[in-house]
Amino acid sequence: MSAEKVEILAALTLHAGRLPLHEAYVPLVKGYEVQSLTGPGIKSWQRDDTGVFIQFDASGLREVRIVLNLTQVRPPGTAAAAVTLPAVNVEGVLGLTAVAYLATHAATETRIGLAPESKWREFDVTTSRSVFSVTEPQTVKRALRWESLDGRESVLSDLPPVSLLPQPAKFGVNAVLLAQATDAGLLYSQQVGVQMDQGMLRELKLSLPASLPEARVRGVNLRDSQSKVVGDRREYTVGFQSDVLNTAAATLDWEVPLEGNQSLPLVRVDGATRARRFFIVDNASASEVKSSLQGVDETVAQNVPYLRRHWGRPSTSSGGMTRQM
């Protein structure tokens, strides 16, 4: 389920008893389109105004397994409205069991309006496994089981209303600035590592002083990056190829001439609820370089979450950390 579409995958096992199964009829709810119907033993199927008529081959099947795929595009402006999911029934059934799994985006909260008189009962989704594979960013959030004392029941009622509530993004960052003095100039590498606490992230917005050269942006799972100067800051918008649900990182590299006093730039990350800063200064030049970091705590390289490979053992370094950005 999503704000734009509802997709139903129904895995049906039909037991014919003593007589072979030749045909079946599946009534459908108006507004749902049949995308596919698959399964061994199906000779043909046809959709009419009210359902799907299925014919099986003449091999005398007493058990048939089919998978029916239905979809419905939700009208614009109804994303916040609860959805009542129709149960998939088969005409002529005498006795049934059913389990329903509700899968949504991992960053979406799923709420069920389960009435006390309903025969659908929620159970722990971790105690059972769906026959369908669900891949990220979708995940199975809730599970329902049909519970009835009537062993000859023939019709399932619709599932309870389901509401989808997107979770706001909450994340923390580790900002590691590497500054290396070389004979060619002062090389900077600023990494911003993201750790999601809730929701998801499709793009990261950060900024550096506008007086610096425009940085080269790199990283795994990055789609694109754009920058613009706003006041005394250069703002970067970094887009990801897929929704970030756990961790992600973007690295910005630039160079400036090695002359006079240099102030270490501070990166700002929009929306971060917590942050740690790390500074590493390395002298790989033939000149003497003095560094002075104030208001930070000394640390060791093993505690730094990001360190470029060829900077793993700097010749002259000092490191520090502050807790807030």
Side-chain angles (χ1 to χ4, degrees):
M1 298 180 61
S2 69
E4 297 79 24
K5 186 174 72 171
V6 176
E7 182 174 11
I8 297 175
L9 289 171
L12 308 175
T13 302
L14 309 179
H15 302 278
R18 296 181 179 180
L19 299 177
L21 191 62
H22 295 293
E23 60 187 37
Y25 188 77
V26 180
L28 297 179
V29 177
K30 185 178 180 180
Y32 282 84
E33 296 294 330
V34 179
Q35 299 299 315
S36 64
L37 177 65
T38 59
I42 295 178
K43 181 180 179 181
S44 63
W45 63 275
Q46 181 178 336
R47 169 76 191 266
D48 59 21
D49 292 338
T50 59
V52 178
F53 178 73
I54 310 168
Q55 285 189 313
F56 303 104
D57 60 27
S59 58
L61 299 173
R62 287 180 170 81
E63 179 181 283
V64 176
R65 298 186 179 188
I66 61 176
V67 176
L68 178 63
N69 184 5
L70 308 172
T71 60
Q72 181 190 65
V73 177
R74 300 183 66 181
T78 62
V83 178
T84 298
L85 299 174
V88 177
N89 290 284
V90 180
E91 282 192 355
V93 169
L94 193 61
L96 53 83
T97 59
V99 175
Y101 298 91
L102 306 180
T104 62
H105 194 286
T108 300
E109 181 183 355
T110 305
R111 295 182 181 177
I112 301 176
L114 197 59
E117 65 274 12
S118 175
K119 294 180 181 179
W120 289 103
R121 293 289 183 266
E122 187 170 9
F123 66 95
D124 186 354
V125 69
T126 62
T127 63
S128 180
R129 189 173 182 178
S130 171
V131 297
F132 299 107
S133 297
V134 179
T135 58
E136 288 189 352
Q138 300 290 317
T139 183
V140 177
K141 292 293 189 71
R142 313 293 285 269
L144 298 168
R145 181 184 290 112
W146 179 260
E147 296 183 358
S148 174
L149 298 177
D150 185 359
R152 298 172 66 84
E153 197 154 24
S154 59
V155 178
L156 297 170
S157 64
D158 290 342
L159 277 74
V162 179
S163 299
L164 304 180
L165 303 174
Q167 294 178 317
K170 293 183 179 180
F171 62 95
V173 298
N174 285 322
V176 182
L177 178 64
L178 310 179
Q180 185 181 53
T182 70
D183 292 334
L186 186 58
L187 311 182
Y188 284 101
S189 184
Q190 172 73 72
Q191 193 203 59
V192 177
V194 175
Q195 176 66 57
M196 299 300 302
D197 299 322
Q198 175 184 287
M200 59 87 178
L201 202 63
R202 290 181 176 171
E203 63 180 22
L204 185 66
K205 294 186 177 181
L206 49 88
S207 67
L208 288 165
S211 58
L212 297 174
E214 184 174 3
R216 303 179 300 276
V217 182
R218 58 186 174 88
V220 178
N221 194 36
L222 298 189
R223 182 185 69 249
D224 54 26
S225 65
Q226 299 177 353
S227 73
K228 62 180 179 179
V229 175
V230 179
D232 61 350
R233 307 288 294 182
R234 180 181 292 275
E235 298 180 350
Y236 295 84
T237 300
V238 181
F240 298 100
Q241 294 181 16
S242 57
D243 297 341
V244 177
L245 301 174
N246 299 304
T247 61
T251 302
L252 293 81
D253 300 317
W254 71 94
E255 302 85 22
V256 297
L258 182 60
E259 56 187 18
N261 294 326
Q262 299 282 347
S263 298
L264 295 180
L266 296 179
V267 65
R268 298 175 186 171
V269 182
D270 289 356
T273 57
R274 69 184 190 282
R276 298 188 303 171
R277 290 184 189 276
F278 294 85
F279 304 95
I280 299 175
V281 179
D282 175 39
N283 182 18
S285 72
S287 304
E288 180 183 5
V289 175
K290 295 182 179 181
S291 61
S292 175
L293 297 177
Q294 298 178 352
V296 297
D297 301 323
E298 291 287 339
T299 187
V300 294
Q302 289 78 2
N303 295 334
V304 180
Y306 166 67
L307 192 64
R308 293 180 66 166
R309 290 181 180 179
H310 61 284
W311 285 14
R313 301 182 64 182
S315 54
T316 302
S317 66
S318 58
M321 176 185 72
T322 60
R323 295 184 179 178
Q324 298 297 327
M325 191 171 271

